[in-house]
PDB file of all heavy atoms in Angstrom:
ATOM      1  N   ALA A 175      61.888  71.664 122.203  1.00 88.00           N
ATOM      2  CA  ALA A 175      60.913  72.263 121.284  1.00 88.00           C
ATOM      3  C   ALA A 175      59.498  71.843 121.647  1.00 88.00           C
ATOM      4  O   ALA A 175      58.548  72.652 121.593  1.00 88.00           O
ATOM      5  CB  ALA A 175      61.245  71.858 119.846  1.00 88.00           C
ATOM      6  N   LEU A 176      59.336  70.577 122.057  1.00 87.00           N
ATOM      7  CA  LEU A 176      58.020  70.089 122.450  1.00 87.00           C
ATOM      8  C   LEU A 176      57.526  70.795 123.718  1.00 87.00           C
ATOM      9  O   LEU A 176      56.332  71.128 123.839  1.00 87.00           O
ATOM     10  CB  LEU A 176      58.075  68.577 122.681  1.00 87.00           C
ATOM     11  CG  LEU A 176      56.763  67.870 123.020  1.00 87.00           C
ATOM     12  CD1 LEU A 176      55.737  68.080 121.913  1.00 87.00           C
ATOM     13  CD2 LEU A 176      57.009  66.382 123.251  1.00 87.00           C
ATOM     14  N   TYR A 177      58.443  71.045 124.650  1.00 85.00           N
ATOM     15  CA  TYR A 177      58.075  71.776 125.881  1.00 85.00           C
ATOM     16  C   TYR A 177      57.633  73.198 125.565  1.00 85.00           C
ATOM     17  O   TYR A 177      56.613  73.679 126.088  1.00 85.00           O
ATOM     18  CB  TYR A 177      59.253  71.782 126.852  1.00 85.00           C
ATOM     19  CG  TYR A 177      59.055  72.703 128.025  1.00 85.00           C
ATOM     20  CD1 TYR A 177      58.171  72.370 129.043  1.00 85.00           C
ATOM     21  CD2 TYR A 177      59.734  73.921 128.099  1.00 85.00           C
ATOM     22  CE1 TYR A 177      57.974  73.222 130.121  1.00 85.00           C
ATOM     23  CE2 TYR A 177      59.546  74.775 129.166  1.00 85.00           C
ATOM     24  CZ  TYR A 177      58.662  74.418 130.177  1.00 85.00           C
ATOM     25  OH  TYR A 177      58.461  75.272 131.229  1.00 85.00           O
ATOM     26  N   VAL A 178      58.360  73.887 124.704  1.00 89.00           N
ATOM     27  CA  VAL A 178      58.013  75.267 124.339  1.00 89.00           C
ATOM     28  C   VAL A 178      56.655  75.306 123.643  1.00 89.00           C
ATOM     29  O   VAL A 178      55.811  76.163 123.926  1.00 89.00           O
ATOM     30  CB  VAL A 178      59.114  75.863 123.441  1.00 89.00           C
ATOM     31  CG1 VAL A 178      58.677  77.229 122.898  1.00 89.00           C
ATOM     32  CG2 VAL A 178      60.415  75.998 124.214  1.00 89.00           C
ATOM     33  N   MET A 179      56.429  74.352 122.739  1.00 89.00           N
ATOM     34  CA  MET A 179      55.165  74.304 122.023  1.00 89.00           C
ATOM     35  C   MET A 179      54.005  74.031 122.985  1.00 89.00           C
ATOM     36  O   MET A 179      52.936  74.652 122.883  1.00 89.00           O
ATOM     37  CB  MET A 179      55.213  73.213 120.942  1.00 89.00           C
ATOM     38  CG  MET A 179      53.994  73.177 120.018  1.00 89.00           C
ATOM     39  SD  MET A 179      54.112  71.832 118.826  1.00 89.00           S
ATOM     40  CE  MET A 179      55.613  72.287 117.975  1.00 89.00           C
ATOM     41  N   SER A 180      54.201  73.121 123.933  1.00 88.00           N
ATOM     42  CA  SER A 180      53.156  72.806 124.906  1.00 88.00           C
ATOM     43  C   SER A 180      52.828  74.021 125.772  1.00 88.00           C
ATOM     44  O   SER A 180      51.661  74.277 126.096  1.00 88.00           O
ATOM     45  CB  SER A 180      53.601  71.645 125.793  1.00 88.00           C
ATOM     46  OG  SER A 180      53.891  70.508 125.015  1.00 88.00           O
ATOM     47  N   HIS A 181      53.883  74.767 126.132  1.00 85.00           N
ATOM     48  CA  HIS A 181      53.669  75.961 126.949  1.00 85.00           C
ATOM     49  C   HIS A 181      52.918  77.041 126.172  1.00 85.00           C
ATOM     50  O   HIS A 181      52.009  77.694 126.715  1.00 85.00           O
ATOM     51  CB  HIS A 181      55.016  76.496 127.433  1.00 85.00           C
ATOM     52  CG  HIS A 181      54.906  77.687 128.329  1.00 85.00           C
ATOM     53  ND1 HIS A 181      54.446  77.601 129.630  1.00 85.00           N
ATOM     54  CD2 HIS A 181      55.190  79.009 128.115  1.00 85.00           C
ATOM     55  CE1 HIS A 181      54.444  78.799 130.175  1.00 85.00           C
ATOM     56  NE2 HIS A 181      54.889  79.678 129.272  1.00 85.00           N
ATOM     57  N   LEU A 182      53.267  77.228 124.923  1.00 88.00           N
ATOM     58  CA  LEU A 182      52.597  78.253 124.110  1.00 88.00           C
ATOM     59  C   LEU A 182      51.139  77.905 123.839  1.00 88.00           C
ATOM     60  O   LEU A 182      50.271  78.782 123.793  1.00 88.00           O
ATOM     61  CB  LEU A 182      53.349  78.439 122.787  1.00 88.00           C
ATOM     62  CG  LEU A 182      54.748  79.054 122.884  1.00 88.00           C
ATOM     63  CD1 LEU A 182      55.421  79.074 121.528  1.00 88.00           C
ATOM     64  CD2 LEU A 182      54.688  80.454 123.477  1.00 88.00           C
ATOM     65  N   LEU A 183      50.853  76.600 123.669  1.00 88.00           N
ATOM     66  CA  LEU A 183      49.482  76.161 123.396  1.00 88.00           C
ATOM     67  C   LEU A 183      48.694  75.916 124.681  1.00 88.00           C
ATOM     68  O   LEU A 183      47.545  75.459 124.621  1.00 88.00           O
ATOM     69  CB  LEU A 183      49.499  74.889 122.544  1.00 88.00           C
ATOM     70  CG  LEU A 183      50.107  75.028 121.139  1.00 88.00           C
ATOM     71  CD1 LEU A 183      50.169  73.688 120.440  1.00 88.00           C
ATOM     72  CD2 LEU A 183      49.315  76.040 120.304  1.00 88.00           C
ATOM     73  N   ASN A 184      49.322  76.169 125.834  1.00 86.00           N
ATOM     74  CA  ASN A 184      48.654  76.014 127.129  1.00 86.00           C
ATOM     75  C   ASN A 184      48.169  74.573 127.351  1.00 86.00           C
ATOM     76  O   ASN A 184      47.080  74.341 127.870  1.00 86.00           O
ATOM     77  CB  ASN A 184      47.489  76.997 127.262  1.00 86.00           C
ATOM     78  CG  ASN A 184      47.069  77.186 128.711  1.00 86.00           C
ATOM     79  OD1 ASN A 184      47.867  76.972 129.639  1.00 86.00           O
ATOM     80  ND2 ASN A 184      45.815  77.558 128.930  1.00 86.00           N
ATOM     81  N   LEU A 185      49.014  73.604 126.956  1.00 86.00           N
ATOM     82  CA  LEU A 185      48.714  72.189 127.207  1.00 86.00           C
ATOM     83  C   LEU A 185      49.301  71.843 128.574  1.00 86.00           C
ATOM     84  O   LEU A 185      50.483  71.521 128.705  1.00 86.00           O
ATOM     85  CB  LEU A 185      49.320  71.317 126.105  1.00 86.00           C
ATOM     86  CG  LEU A 185      48.881  71.648 124.662  1.00 86.00           C
ATOM     87  CD1 LEU A 185      49.608  70.757 123.674  1.00 86.00           C
ATOM     88  CD2 LEU A 185      47.364  71.503 124.512  1.00 86.00           C
ATOM     89  N   LYS A 186      48.472  71.920 129.605  1.00 85.00           N
ATOM     90  CA  LYS A 186      48.964  71.842 130.980  1.00 85.00           C
ATOM     91  C   LYS A 186      49.579  70.485 131.315  1.00 85.00           C
ATOM     92  O   LYS A 186      50.627  70.415 131.954  1.00 85.00           O
ATOM     93  CB  LYS A 186      47.825  72.160 131.941  1.00 85.00           C
ATOM     94  CG  LYS A 186      47.311  73.596 131.806  1.00 85.00           C
ATOM     95  CD  LYS A 186      46.206  73.881 132.813  1.00 85.00           C
ATOM     96  CE  LYS A 186      45.706  75.328 132.679  1.00 85.00           C
ATOM     97  NZ  LYS A 186      44.620  75.627 133.635  1.00 85.00           N
ATOM     98  N   ALA A 187      48.908  69.418 130.921  1.00 88.00           N
ATOM     99  CA  ALA A 187      49.429  68.087 131.245  1.00 88.00           C
ATOM    100  C   ALA A 187      50.765  67.843 130.560  1.00 88.00           C
ATOM    101  O   ALA A 187      51.732  67.378 131.187  1.00 88.00           O
ATOM    102  CB  ALA A 187      48.416  67.011 130.834  1.00 88.00           C
ATOM    103  N   MET A 188      50.841  68.170 129.262  1.00 86.00           N
ATOM    104  CA  MET A 188      52.089  67.964 128.516  1.00 86.00           C
ATOM    105  C   MET A 188      53.192  68.870 129.052  1.00 86.00           C
ATOM    106  O   MET A 188      54.362  68.457 129.164  1.00 86.00           O
ATOM    107  CB  MET A 188      51.850  68.238 127.032  1.00 86.00           C
ATOM    108  CG  MET A 188      53.078  68.018 126.148  1.00 86.00           C
ATOM    109  SD  MET A 188      53.694  66.314 126.239  1.00 86.00           S
ATOM    110  CE  MET A 188      52.393  65.447 125.347  1.00 86.00           C
ATOM    111  N   THR A 189      52.841  70.106 129.399  1.00 85.00           N
ATOM    112  CA  THR A 189      53.832  71.037 129.954  1.00 85.00           C
ATOM    113  C   THR A 189      54.390  70.512 131.272  1.00 85.00           C
ATOM    114  O   THR A 189      55.600  70.583 131.524  1.00 85.00           O
ATOM    115  CB  THR A 189      53.207  72.423 130.166  1.00 85.00           C
ATOM    116  OG1 THR A 189      52.673  72.900 128.926  1.00 85.00           O
ATOM    117  CG2 THR A 189      54.229  73.410 130.696  1.00 85.00           C
ATOM    118  N   PHE A 190      53.523  69.959 132.114  1.00 86.00           N
ATOM    119  CA  PHE A 190      53.956  69.407 133.408  1.00 86.00           C
ATOM    120  C   PHE A 190      54.912  68.230 133.190  1.00 86.00           C
ATOM    121  O   PHE A 190      55.960  68.127 133.852  1.00 86.00           O
ATOM    122  CB  PHE A 190      52.728  68.950 134.205  1.00 86.00           C
ATOM    123  CG  PHE A 190      53.067  68.214 135.467  1.00 86.00           C
ATOM    124  CD1 PHE A 190      53.469  68.904 136.602  1.00 86.00           C
ATOM    125  CD2 PHE A 190      53.005  66.822 135.516  1.00 86.00           C
ATOM    126  CE1 PHE A 190      53.794  68.217 137.770  1.00 86.00           C
ATOM    127  CE2 PHE A 190      53.315  66.140 136.664  1.00 86.00           C
ATOM    128  CZ  PHE A 190      53.716  66.839 137.801  1.00 86.00           C
ATOM    129  N   ILE A 191      54.568  67.351 132.258  1.00 86.00           N
ATOM    130  CA  ILE A 191      55.418  66.178 131.990  1.00 86.00           C
ATOM    131  C   ILE A 191      56.776  66.612 131.452  1.00 86.00           C
ATOM    132  O   ILE A 191      57.831  66.139 131.915  1.00 86.00           O
ATOM    133  CB  ILE A 191      54.714  65.228 130.998  1.00 86.00           C
ATOM    134  CG1 ILE A 191      53.471  64.615 131.649  1.00 86.00           C
ATOM    135  CG2 ILE A 191      55.667  64.126 130.545  1.00 86.00           C
ATOM    136  CD1 ILE A 191      52.606  63.823 130.683  1.00 86.00           C
ATOM    137  N   MET A 192      56.776  67.511 130.462  1.00 82.00           N
ATOM    138  CA  MET A 192      58.034  67.935 129.849  1.00 82.00           C
ATOM    139  C   MET A 192      58.903  68.707 130.827  1.00 82.00           C
ATOM    140  O   MET A 192      60.130  68.585 130.810  1.00 82.00           O
ATOM    141  CB  MET A 192      57.743  68.793 128.612  1.00 82.00           C
ATOM    142  CG  MET A 192      57.009  68.070 127.492  1.00 82.00           C
ATOM    143  SD  MET A 192      57.805  66.500 127.039  1.00 82.00           S
ATOM    144  CE  MET A 192      59.430  67.068 126.589  1.00 82.00           C
ATOM    145  N   ARG A 193      58.273  69.511 131.712  1.00 82.00           N
ATOM    146  CA  ARG A 193      59.045  70.260 132.702  1.00 82.00           C
ATOM    147  C   ARG A 193      59.791  69.312 133.631  1.00 82.00           C
ATOM    148  O   ARG A 193      60.961  69.529 133.956  1.00 82.00           O
ATOM    149  CB  ARG A 193      58.126  71.182 133.504  1.00 82.00           C
ATOM    150  CG  ARG A 193      58.901  72.099 134.472  1.00 82.00           C
ATOM    151  CD  ARG A 193      57.977  72.903 135.374  1.00 82.00           C
ATOM    152  NE  ARG A 193      57.129  73.791 134.589  1.00 82.00           N
ATOM    153  CZ  ARG A 193      55.804  73.715 134.535  1.00 82.00           C
ATOM    154  NH1 ARG A 193      55.176  72.746 135.214  1.00 82.00           N
ATOM    155  NH2 ARG A 193      55.102  74.566 133.830  1.00 82.00           N
ATOM    156  N   ASN A 194      59.105  68.262 134.082  1.00 82.00           N
ATOM    157  CA  ASN A 194      59.751  67.294 134.983  1.00 82.00           C
ATOM    158  C   ASN A 194      60.834  66.502 134.275  1.00 82.00           C
ATOM    159  O   ASN A 194      61.864  66.169 134.877  1.00 82.00           O
ATOM    160  CB  ASN A 194      58.696  66.353 135.570  1.00 82.00           C
ATOM    161  CG  ASN A 194      57.885  66.997 136.680  1.00 82.00           C
ATOM    162  OD1 ASN A 194      58.291  67.016 137.835  1.00 82.00           O
ATOM    163  ND2 ASN A 194      56.736  67.565 136.315  1.00 82.00           N
ATOM    164  N   ILE A 195      60.614  66.185 133.000  1.00 79.00           N
ATOM    165  CA  ILE A 195      61.644  65.468 132.240  1.00 79.00           C
ATOM    166  C   ILE A 195      62.903  66.318 132.119  1.00 79.00           C
ATOM    167  O   ILE A 195      64.030  65.840 132.332  1.00 79.00           O
ATOM    168  CB  ILE A 195      61.110  65.079 130.848  1.00 79.00           C
ATOM    169  CG1 ILE A 195      60.048  63.984 130.972  1.00 79.00           C
ATOM    170  CG2 ILE A 195      62.249  64.604 129.944  1.00 79.00           C
ATOM    171  CD1 ILE A 195      59.373  63.627 129.657  1.00 79.00           C
ATOM    172  N   LEU A 196      62.738  67.599 131.813  1.00 78.00           N
ATOM    173  CA  LEU A 196      63.883  68.478 131.629  1.00 78.00           C
ATOM    174  C   LEU A 196      64.590  68.790 132.948  1.00 78.00           C
ATOM    175  O   LEU A 196      65.794  69.046 132.967  1.00 78.00           O
ATOM    176  CB  LEU A 196      63.436  69.777 130.950  1.00 78.00           C
ATOM    177  CG  LEU A 196      62.949  69.624 129.499  1.00 78.00           C
ATOM    178  CD1 LEU A 196      62.418  70.945 128.967  1.00 78.00           C
ATOM    179  CD2 LEU A 196      64.073  69.110 128.612  1.00 78.00           C
ATOM    180  N   GLN A 197      63.829  68.782 134.059  1.00 76.00           N
ATOM    181  CA  GLN A 197      64.451  69.039 135.358  1.00 76.00           C
ATOM    182  C   GLN A 197      65.464  67.959 135.724  1.00 76.00           C
ATOM    183  O   GLN A 197      66.505  68.238 136.332  1.00 76.00           O
ATOM    184  CB  GLN A 197      63.374  69.133 136.440  1.00 76.00           C
ATOM    185  CG  GLN A 197      62.631  70.468 136.460  1.00 76.00           C
ATOM    186  CD  GLN A 197      61.548  70.509 137.520  1.00 76.00           C
ATOM    187  OE1 GLN A 197      61.247  69.491 138.145  1.00 76.00           O
ATOM    188  NE2 GLN A 197      60.961  71.692 137.729  1.00 76.00           N
ATOM    189  N   PHE A 198      65.158  66.718 135.375  1.00 77.00           N
ATOM    190  CA  PHE A 198      66.082  65.613 135.655  1.00 77.00           C
ATOM    191  C   PHE A 198      66.994  65.325 134.463  1.00 77.00           C
ATOM    192  O   PHE A 198      67.719  64.337 134.460  1.00 77.00           O
ATOM    193  CB  PHE A 198      65.296  64.344 136.010  1.00 77.00           C
ATOM    194  CG  PHE A 198      64.522  64.470 137.298  1.00 77.00           C
ATOM    195  CD1 PHE A 198      63.161  64.739 137.286  1.00 77.00           C
ATOM    196  CD2 PHE A 198      65.167  64.322 138.515  1.00 77.00           C
ATOM    197  CE1 PHE A 198      62.445  64.854 138.471  1.00 77.00           C
ATOM    198  CE2 PHE A 198      64.460  64.440 139.701  1.00 77.00           C
ATOM    199  CZ  PHE A 198      63.095  64.705 139.689  1.00 77.00           C
ATOM    200  N   GLY A 199      66.944  66.209 133.468  1.00 71.00           N
ATOM    201  CA  GLY A 199      67.743  65.985 132.259  1.00 71.00           C
ATOM    202  C   GLY A 199      69.231  66.058 132.500  1.00 71.00           C
ATOM    203  O   GLY A 199      70.001  65.326 131.875  1.00 71.00           O
ATOM    204  N   ALA A 200      69.670  66.941 133.422  1.00 67.00           N
ATOM    205  CA  ALA A 200      71.108  67.086 133.672  1.00 67.00           C
ATOM    206  C   ALA A 200      71.710  65.783 134.198  1.00 67.00           C
ATOM    207  O   ALA A 200      72.783  65.353 133.761  1.00 67.00           O
ATOM    208  CB  ALA A 200      71.342  68.220 134.667  1.00 67.00           C
ATOM    209  N   LEU A 201      70.998  65.146 135.141  1.00 75.00           N
ATOM    210  CA  LEU A 201      71.486  63.876 135.681  1.00 75.00           C
ATOM    211  C   LEU A 201      71.477  62.799 134.604  1.00 75.00           C
ATOM    212  O   LEU A 201      72.408  61.987 134.506  1.00 75.00           O
ATOM    213  CB  LEU A 201      70.609  63.445 136.864  1.00 75.00           C
ATOM    214  CG  LEU A 201      70.994  62.135 137.558  1.00 75.00           C
ATOM    215  CD1 LEU A 201      72.412  62.231 138.115  1.00 75.00           C
ATOM    216  CD2 LEU A 201      70.004  61.810 138.669  1.00 75.00           C
ATOM    217  N   ALA A 202      70.432  62.797 133.781  1.00 71.00           N
ATOM    218  CA  ALA A 202      70.353  61.812 132.697  1.00 71.00           C
ATOM    219  C   ALA A 202      71.487  62.005 131.698  1.00 71.00           C
ATOM    220  O   ALA A 202      72.051  61.035 131.183  1.00 71.00           O
ATOM    221  CB  ALA A 202      68.997  61.913 131.999  1.00 71.00           C
ATOM    222  N   LEU A 203      71.847  63.274 131.433  1.00 70.00           N
ATOM    223  CA  LEU A 203      72.932  63.549 130.496  1.00 70.00           C
ATOM    224  C   LEU A 203      74.261  62.998 130.997  1.00 70.00           C
ATOM    225  O   LEU A 203      75.067  62.479 130.222  1.00 70.00           O
ATOM    226  CB  LEU A 203      73.050  65.058 130.263  1.00 70.00           C
ATOM    227  CG  LEU A 203      71.982  65.706 129.383  1.00 70.00           C
ATOM    228  CD1 LEU A 203      72.204  67.207 129.315  1.00 70.00           C
ATOM    229  CD2 LEU A 203      71.993  65.112 127.988  1.00 70.00           C
ATOM    230  N   LEU A 204      74.507  63.114 132.307  1.00 71.00           N
ATOM    231  CA  LEU A 204      75.743  62.582 132.866  1.00 71.00           C
ATOM    232  C   LEU A 204      75.842  61.074 132.674  1.00 71.00           C
ATOM    233  O   LEU A 204      76.926  60.532 132.454  1.00 71.00           O
ATOM    234  CB  LEU A 204      75.836  62.926 134.360  1.00 71.00           C
ATOM    235  CG  LEU A 204      76.034  64.401 134.703  1.00 71.00           C
ATOM    236  CD1 LEU A 204      76.009  64.603 136.207  1.00 71.00           C
ATOM    237  CD2 LEU A 204      77.337  64.915 134.123  1.00 71.00           C
ATOM    238  N   VAL A 205      74.704  60.391 132.755  1.00 72.00           N
ATOM    239  CA  VAL A 205      74.691  58.940 132.583  1.00 72.00           C
ATOM    240  C   VAL A 205      74.841  58.567 131.113  1.00 72.00           C
ATOM    241  O   VAL A 205      75.651  57.713 130.744  1.00 72.00           O
ATOM    242  CB  VAL A 205      73.392  58.342 133.163  1.00 72.00           C
ATOM    243  CG1 VAL A 205      73.331  56.839 132.900  1.00 72.00           C
ATOM    244  CG2 VAL A 205      73.297  58.627 134.653  1.00 72.00           C
ATOM    245  N   VAL A 206      74.069  59.242 130.268  1.00 66.00           N
ATOM    246  CA  VAL A 206      74.047  58.898 128.847  1.00 66.00           C
ATOM    247  C   VAL A 206      75.364  59.256 128.162  1.00 66.00           C
ATOM    248  O   VAL A 206      75.884  58.495 127.349  1.00 66.00           O
ATOM    249  CB  VAL A 206      72.866  59.597 128.142  1.00 66.00           C
ATOM    250  CG1 VAL A 206      72.924  59.375 126.640  1.00 66.00           C
ATOM    251  CG2 VAL A 206      71.542  59.074 128.678  1.00 66.00           C
ATOM    252  N   PHE A 207      75.920  60.420 128.512  1.00 66.00           N
ATOM    253  CA  PHE A 207      77.130  60.897 127.852  1.00 66.00           C
ATOM    254  C   PHE A 207      78.396  60.525 128.619  1.00 66.00           C
ATOM    255  O   PHE A 207      79.452  61.110 128.371  1.00 66.00           O
ATOM    256  CB  PHE A 207      77.081  62.421 127.695  1.00 66.00           C
ATOM    257  CG  PHE A 207      76.116  62.886 126.651  1.00 66.00           C
ATOM    258  CD1 PHE A 207      74.859  63.328 127.012  1.00 66.00           C
ATOM    259  CD2 PHE A 207      76.448  62.879 125.311  1.00 66.00           C
ATOM    260  CE1 PHE A 207      73.962  63.773 126.059  1.00 66.00           C
ATOM    261  CE2 PHE A 207      75.565  63.312 124.358  1.00 66.00           C
ATOM    262  CZ  PHE A 207      74.304  63.762 124.726  1.00 66.00           C
ATOM    263  N   GLN A 208      78.317  59.564 129.523  1.00 68.00           N
ATOM    264  CA  GLN A 208      79.473  59.221 130.340  1.00 68.00           C
ATOM    265  C   GLN A 208      80.719  58.856 129.520  1.00 68.00           C
ATOM    266  O   GLN A 208      81.816  59.365 129.802  1.00 68.00           O
ATOM    267  CB  GLN A 208      79.104  58.080 131.302  1.00 68.00           C
ATOM    268  CG  GLN A 208      80.169  57.749 132.328  1.00 68.00           C
ATOM    269  CD  GLN A 208      81.134  56.686 131.850  1.00 68.00           C
ATOM    270  OE1 GLN A 208      80.807  55.896 130.966  1.00 68.00           O
ATOM    271  NE2 GLN A 208      82.327  56.662 132.416  1.00 68.00           N
TER     272      GLN A 208
END
């Protein structure tokens, strides 16, 4: 939700950070939900 909001409000720095967090989210999920 924070990523979508940042994208809609054109918050470039926040959008860049959230995009990178979500890109590595799949690997993080495998570790967290092991």
Side-chain angles (χ1 to χ4, degrees):
L176 184 59
Y177 170 73
V178 172
M179 187 182 300
S180 302
H181 182 72
L182 292 175
L183 296 175
N184 199 24
L185 303 177
K186 296 182 179 179
M188 182 60 71
T189 303
F190 173 78
I191 293 172
M192 297 309 302
R193 186 186 298 117
N194 283 276
I195 290 175
L196 293 175
Q197 282 178 352
F198 294 100
L201 181 60
L203 285 177
L204 291 176
V205 176
V206 174
F207 287 99
Q208 187 269 337

